[in-house]
Amino acid sequence: MDRPFVITLDGPAGVGKSTLAKRLAAELGIAYLDTGAMYRTLGLALGADAADLPEEELRRRCSSFVFSLERGDGEAWLLCCGGKPVGGEIRTERAGRLASIVARLPVLRSELQKAQQSLGRGFSLVAEGRDMGTKVFPGALRKFFLDARPEVRAERRLKELLARGESADFETVLNDIRARDEQDRGRAVDPLRPAPDAVLVDTSDLDLDGVLRVLLNSVHAAFGRDGLHSSSDAGFTHLAEDGSLRMVDVGDKLETRRVARARAVVEMSASTLDLLRRDALPKGDVLSVAKVAGIMAAKRTWELIPLCHPLNVNHVDIRFDIRDEPPSVVLESEVRVSGRTGVEMEAIMAAQVAAATIYDMAKAVQKDMIIRDVRLIYKSGGKSGDFRAE
Ligand code: DC
C-alpha cells in the first residue's frame, strides 16, 4: 500500500500494549509510535509542578521538545526527542505517575497530539496510547482497545518489574494500576475510553501470541474492507480447480516483514581447507565469490523455482564459518523482504549456490568434496508464523 496508514492500540496501563504494538508493527513492516513515552518524557522533564505554570509558558516549554521517529539498528524504529533516542529513565513507575499527572493538562496534550499527528502523516504507524483512536487518529485503518482485569495487569507488570531487577510487591503494583486507571479514565480531557468503532480485545485469558493473532487477523480484514486488498483469502493452494498447477495469487495477502535463514555444509579435505584459508586456491578468493553468487541466487530464485514469485528482496547476506573438525565450510544465508510471500526458497537457493560456488572454486584440487545438510533453519513473518529448526 502506498499512502501511510495508522493502526491504533489504546488501553489501560499494564495491558501489554507496548509489546503488542511493537510486534504488530514488526509483522506489518511499519513504524511503532509509543505515545506514552512522549508523556513520560515531558512528565519527567517538567515534573508535577507543570500544572502550576501559566498556559503560555507551558506551551513554550512543550514546544521545545521535538519528537521524531528514527531507524535504529536493524529494523527497529526509535522514538527520539531532540534527535536523541528517549532513554530508559522514562520506564520507571515514578515516570509513569508523572506522565499520568501532566497528561491531564489540555495545553500539553494538544501540543503532543499535534506532534503525533504529524508523525502519522509521514509514516505508516502502529500508534499506542490512551486517545489514539478517539482523538489523535480518528480515521485510522483499524482501532483496537485492549483491556484486562486489573489483577491480571498487575501480575504482568510485577513480572516485568522483577525481570528488570526492580523490587516490587503485588499489592503496591495493583494499587498503582488502579490509581492510574482512575486518573486516565476519569480525567476531563481525552479520557481513556474505546472509540465507538474500536475492536475490543479482552486479553485477560490470552497470551501474547494469541492476542497478536487476533490483531493481525483483524488488520487483514480491514485491508480487505477498505478495498486496499480484497479480503478473499480462499485456499492458498498451488492447484487450480481442475487440478492443474497454478501460481498462487498473493495480491490479497498483506505485506509483512519476512526473514529466512538457510544453512549448507561443504566438506573437504584438510589440505583443500588449508588452501582455501590461505587464499591459495587456483581460482582466487573463494568465499568472496561464493558470497556474491549466493546473493545473486537469492535475487534470481523466481527464475529457477517454477512456482516462486519474483520478489524485491531488501537484504541478502551469507556468512561463513570455517571448521577443522570435520574440515568444512558451514555457510548460512539470510534473506529479508517486506512482501506478500516468504523468502525461504531465496535463502535455500542462496545457501546452495554459495556452496556450489565453493565447490567450483576448489574443484581443481579436489573433486570429491561433499555438499550436504542444506536446510532452512529459521523463518519469521507471514501467516504460518515463525519456524526455528531444532
Ligand atoms: O502507556 P504509558 O504507561 O507509558 O503511559 C504513561 C501515561 O501517559 C499514562 O498513564 C497516561 C498518559 N498517556 C496519555 O494520557 N495519552 C496517551 N496517548 C499516552 C499516554
Side-chain angles (χ1 to χ4, degrees), residues 9-14 17-18 32 34-40 90-93 95-104 108-109 112-113 116 127-132 136 157 179-181 183-184 187 189-192:
L9 235 66
D10 289 304
K17 289 188 307 289
S18 302
Y32 152 66
D34 175 0
T35 59
M38 299 167 93
Y39 286 91
R40 283 169 182 261
I90 64 159
R91 296 293 158 208
T92 60
E93 293 299 277
R97 276 193 295 275
L98 284 170
S100 189
I101 292 171
V102 299
R104 284 180 298 189
L108 186 144
R109 292 201 74 80
L112 284 186
Q113 287 165 344
Q116 292 152 9
E128 174 234 313
R130 303 293 190 285
D131 55 352
M132 296 295 102
V136 181
R157 183 48 62 91
R180 291 268 295 280
D181 277 5
Q183 220 159 45
D184 293 347
R187 70 179 171 226
V189 261
D190 311 328
L192 169 66

Side-chain angles (χ1 to χ4, degrees), residues 44-367:
L44 266 189
L46 303 179
D49 297 343
D52 302 328
L53 291 172
E55 266 191 21
E56 269 323 297
E57 175 59 13
L58 183 58
R59 194 183 311 281
R60 195 188 61 73
R61 293 216 195 162
C62 290
S63 62
S64 67
F65 293 83
V66 178
F67 289 97
S68 58
L69 281 171
E70 314 280 346
R71 272 245 187 236
D73 283 345
E75 298 302 315
W77 285 85
L78 301 174
L79 177 67
C80 295
C81 183
K84 293 203 187 79
V86 297
E89 69 278 1
I90 64 159
R91 296 293 158 208
T92 60
E93 293 299 277
R94 176 171 166 268
R97 276 193 295 275
L98 284 170
S100 189
I101 292 171
V102 299
R104 284 180 298 189
L105 307 174
V107 167
L108 186 144
R109 292 201 74 80
S110 84
E111 289 300 307
L112 284 186
Q113 287 165 344
K114 275 190 267 171
Q116 292 152 9
Q117 285 168 336
S118 127
L119 289 170
R121 281 190 286 274
F123 305 89
S124 288
L125 287 179
V126 174
E128 174 234 313
R130 303 293 190 285
D131 55 352
M132 296 295 102
T134 48
K135 183 74 189 253
V136 181
F137 298 111
L141 174 71
R142 190 53 115 199
K143 300 176 184 176
F144 295 103
F145 189 88
L146 305 180
D147 212 343
R149 294 186 293 276
E151 295 75 15
V152 174
R153 289 187 277 131
E155 193 61 53
R156 289 177 188 162
R157 183 48 62 91
L158 181 67
K159 266 197 200 143
E160 223 176 83
L161 291 171
L162 295 179
R164 286 211 301 256
E166 289 176 39
S167 62
D169 67 277
F170 180 76
E171 278 311 313
T172 316
V173 176
L174 180 59
N175 287 337
D176 223 54
I177 290 250
R178 289 208 164 113
R180 291 268 295 280
D181 277 5
E182 218 173 283
Q183 220 159 45
D184 293 347
R185 291 186 209 258
R187 70 179 171 226
V189 261
D190 311 328
L192 169 66
R193 60 183 165 77
D197 51 346
V199 178
L200 305 183
V201 187
D202 186 338
T203 72
S204 301
D205 303 311
L206 290 170
D207 63 9
L208 273 181
D209 285 335
V211 184
L212 187 67
R213 260 196 305 279
V214 172
L215 304 188
L216 270 174
N217 285 343
S218 178
V219 172
H220 277 263
F223 269 85
R225 180 204 65 196
D226 283 3
L228 303 166
H229 298 274
S230 126
S231 61
S232 100
D233 218 11
F236 287 115
T237 158
H238 288 87
L239 290 183
E241 272 145 34
D242 64 359
S244 62
L245 212 54
R246 72 165 185 193
M247 189 172 182
V248 171
D249 179 351
V250 294
D252 297 342
K253 286 191 177 186
L254 193 61
E255 283 200 2
T256 60
R257 288 218 36 85
R258 294 149 187 272
V259 178
R261 294 190 201 113
R263 183 176 294 162
V265 178
V266 187
E267 260 184 28
M268 56 190 74
S269 67
S271 59
T272 307
L273 191 70
D274 182 52
L275 290 170
L276 181 147
R277 211 182 236 135
R278 290 190 288 110
D279 248 358
L281 282 161
K283 287 191 177 172
D285 182 351
V286 175
L287 298 188
S288 299
V289 178
K291 185 171 186 144
V292 174
I295 292 170
M296 288 172 63
K299 292 195 290 189
R300 307 193 79 153
T301 298
W302 64 280
E303 291 174 314
L304 297 166
I305 305 290
L307 300 183
C308 267
H309 297 82
L311 292 177
N312 277 325
V313 292
N314 298 337
H315 169 87
V316 185
D317 193 20
I318 318 273
R319 291 180 287 267
F320 301 95
D321 182 15
I322 299 179
R323 296 192 183 165
D324 291 311
E325 204 42 60
S328 55
V329 178
V330 177
L331 53 97
E332 212 173 284
S333 65
E334 176 168 315
V335 184
R336 294 188 216 149
V337 75
S338 302
R340 296 193 177 115
T341 75
V343 276
E344 296 94 302
M345 290 315 303
E346 282 71 11
I348 289 172
M349 290 302 288
Q352 293 198 105
V353 170
T357 303
I358 293 179
Y359 183 95
D360 179 52
M361 299 286 286
K363 68 182 187 298
V365 296
Q366 186 185 354
K367 299 265 183 305

